[in-house]
């Protein structure tokens, strides 16, 4: 990864080898060396450590699974796009031609749109609609019928007294919302995932789907229940793991919420995760996710225990499930 500052701006620019970052043999629709601009609000891609990056280690395998299943995706939307790398992955892997991106900050959306446009080999083959706002609010009145919506929304609520527009606090969420959500949703801090699923339903074609990327720091049965509660046919598409990035802030945040009576949340030593998942592809792991969860049970750490283990020098990670929720036509 190379990093420099954009002329006439303090905006950071990083260069990413896309085929290596996405673990693809070749790329044909986007540039192999992508130049990615970031604002102060953008979530920083883990360009030198794809295993810790949400797009590289989670979104890409899920998109590959959808493509290998022969599912056509022309109209693609991503909620909370960040740098726009998830949209670039959809263009390359899913061959999506109509791209919709949203994020909570205007500057993030504007720069993400530039990143997509500047890194597509033939920009005329792709149309992009971008809008800033909460969840799917920016597009709810656009009369859309989408094939696939991808979301990787934050689970950790904003710490009281902090501001959502301060730096990367946009990777958290405001827990006091007007919407009423089921008790299990509140307990396990998955409110944004549930609300996104509810908002997505009228925007999907029949047979359209939502891919919800959820850090598996919670029981898989809770993740599966999300889609069912929101009115979908849902199951785990892919199952993988990642090393916890920003461990002090993230694990510490979950530990604080455990002390408030939420969770409990699940973390694991990286060694246990690596050994357990080593013989599975992400799709095969999705099919065997319940068994993998059972095998990992002896290694499970609460957030508080994981924080202590990390402070003692141990590498800590967590599982990641991509929930596929399909809108089915009902008579």
């Amino acid at each position: 990864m190379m990093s420099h500052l954009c002329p006439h701006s303090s905006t950071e620019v990083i260069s990413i080898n896309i085929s290596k970052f996405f673990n693809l043999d070749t790329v044909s629709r986007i540039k192999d060396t992508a130049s990615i601009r970031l604002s102060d609000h953008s979530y920083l891609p883990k360009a030198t450590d794809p295993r810790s990056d949400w797009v590289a280690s989670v979104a890409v395998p899920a998109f590959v699974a959808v493509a290998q299943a022969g599912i056509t995706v022309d109209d693609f939307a991503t909620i909370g796009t960040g740098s726009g790398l998830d949209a670039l992955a959809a263009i390359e892997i899913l061959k999506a031609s109509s791209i919709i991106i949203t994020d909570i900050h205007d500057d993030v959306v504007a720069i993400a749109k530039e990143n997509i446009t500047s890194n597509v080999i033939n920009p005329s083959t792709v149309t992009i609609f971008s809008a800033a706002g909460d969840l799917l609010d920016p597009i709810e009145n656009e009369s859309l019928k989408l094939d696939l919506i991808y979301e990787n929304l934050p689970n950790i609520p904003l710490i009281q007294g902090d501001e959502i527009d301060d730096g990367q606090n946009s990777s958290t969420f405001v827990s006091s919302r007007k919407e009423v959500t089921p008790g299990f949703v509140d307990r396990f801090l998955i409110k944004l995932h549930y609300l996104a699923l509810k908002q997505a339903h009228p925007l999907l074609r029949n047979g359209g789907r939502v891919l919800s990327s959820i850090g598996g720091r919670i029981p898989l049965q809770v993740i599966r229940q999300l889609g069912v509660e929101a009115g979908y046919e849902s199951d785990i598409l892919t199952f993988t793991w990642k090393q916890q990035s920003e461990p002090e802030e993230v694990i510490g945040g979950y530990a604080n919420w455990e002390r408030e009576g939420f969770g409990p949340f699940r973390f694991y030593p990286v060694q246990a995760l690596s050994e357990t998942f080593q013989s599975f592809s992400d799709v095969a792991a999705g099919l065997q996710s319940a068994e993998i969860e059972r095998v990992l049970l002896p290694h499970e750490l609460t957030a508080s225990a994981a924080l202590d283990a990390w402070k003692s020098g141990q590498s800590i990670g967590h599982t990641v499930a991509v929930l596929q929720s399909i809108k089915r036509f009902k008579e």
Side-chain angles (χ1 to χ4, degrees):
M1 177 189 77
M2 295 179 63
S3 176
H4 60 278
L5 295 181
C6 184
H8 314 299
S9 170
S10 61
T11 303
E12 185 179 10
V13 179
I14 60 175
S15 295
I16 299 177
N17 182 314
I18 289 294
S19 56
K20 182 177 179 181
F21 188 64
F22 287 173
N23 194 28
L24 300 173
D25 292 335
T26 59
V27 292
S28 60
R29 302 191 77 201
I30 60 177
K31 298 175 181 177
D32 194 39
T33 300
S35 181
I36 302 295
R37 291 183 62 208
L38 303 169
S39 81
D40 290 340
H41 294 120
S42 301
Y43 189 80
L44 179 67
K46 306 299 184 292
T48 60
D49 183 17
R51 170 53 71 181
S52 296
D53 186 86
W54 282 93
V55 174
S57 68
V58 182
V60 166
F63 294 171
V64 169
V66 170
Q68 290 177 343
I71 296 163
T72 299
V73 177
D74 292 321
D75 301 296
F76 169 88
T78 172
I79 313 171
T81 189
S83 66
L85 275 168
D86 50 6
L88 286 170
I91 292 168
E92 179 63 38
I93 298 166
L94 299 172
K95 312 305 181 190
S97 57
S98 176
I99 304 295
I100 296 165
I101 59 172
T102 74
D103 208 292
I104 198 167
H105 296 296
D106 288 309
D107 59 330
V108 171
V109 171
I111 291 175
K113 184 175 181 179
E114 288 181 20
N115 287 338
I116 298 166
T117 302
S118 63
N119 288 294
V120 173
I121 292 174
N122 188 353
S124 65
T125 63
V126 177
T127 61
I128 306 170
F129 176 88
S130 60
D134 181 58
L135 299 178
L136 285 163
D137 286 352
I139 60 173
E140 65 177 352
N141 296 319
E142 294 296 326
S143 300
L144 299 169
K145 287 300 177 184
L146 301 169
D147 298 307
L148 190 147
I149 298 172
Y150 172 73
E151 62 92 346
N152 175 26
L153 294 165
N155 294 347
I156 307 176
L158 188 70
I159 296 173
Q160 188 173 6
D162 283 356
E163 297 292 335
I164 194 71
D165 60 354
D166 182 14
Q168 290 192 34
N169 278 346
S170 53
S171 296
T172 61
F173 75 93
V174 177
S175 58
S176 56
R177 298 183 62 105
K178 64 181 185 300
E179 301 94 342
V180 177
T181 52
F184 79 94
V185 168
D186 297 335
R187 174 185 170 186
F188 288 104
L189 305 181
I190 48 177
K191 186 177 294 187
L192 294 189
H193 298 290
Y194 176 79
L195 294 175
L197 282 167
K198 295 291 285 186
Q199 290 183 4
H201 203 275
L203 299 174
L204 291 168
R205 293 187 173 93
N206 290 320
R209 61 204 64 216
V210 180
L211 301 185
S212 302
S213 176
I214 304 175
R217 307 175 188 93
I218 60 179
L220 284 173
Q221 65 181 27
V222 172
I223 295 175
R224 292 188 182 96
Q225 189 179 352
L226 260 181
V228 175
E229 287 282 337
Y232 295 85
E233 178 183 299
S234 295
D235 209 345
I236 305 299
L237 175 65
T238 57
F239 194 44
T240 186
W241 68 276
K242 67 184 291 291
Q243 185 165 332
Q244 181 62 68
S245 54
E246 294 87 36
E248 184 171 15
E249 294 83 358
V250 176
I251 303 174
Y254 277 105
N256 288 337
W257 285 94
E258 275 184 348
R259 287 190 283 271
E260 294 292 328
F262 293 83
F265 303 103
R266 299 177 173 186
F267 294 84
Y268 306 91
V270 160
Q271 183 176 352
L273 290 166
S274 179
E275 291 174 354
T276 302
F277 278 90
Q278 65 182 347
S279 60
F280 293 96
S281 68
D282 294 325
V283 176
L287 295 172
Q288 298 293 320
S289 56
E291 176 62 17
I292 292 172
E293 186 178 52
R294 186 191 66 78
V295 171
L296 284 171
L297 185 61
H299 306 285
E300 186 180 304
L301 300 169
T302 65
S304 297
L307 185 62
D308 290 340
W310 175 77
K311 288 179 177 178
S312 70
Q314 195 167 10
S315 296
I316 301 296
H318 59 84
T319 60
V320 182
V322 173
L323 179 72
Q324 179 172 240
S325 300
I326 303 174
K327 178 180 178 178
R328 294 299 191 194
F329 178 78
K330 295 182 179 179
E331 297 288 347

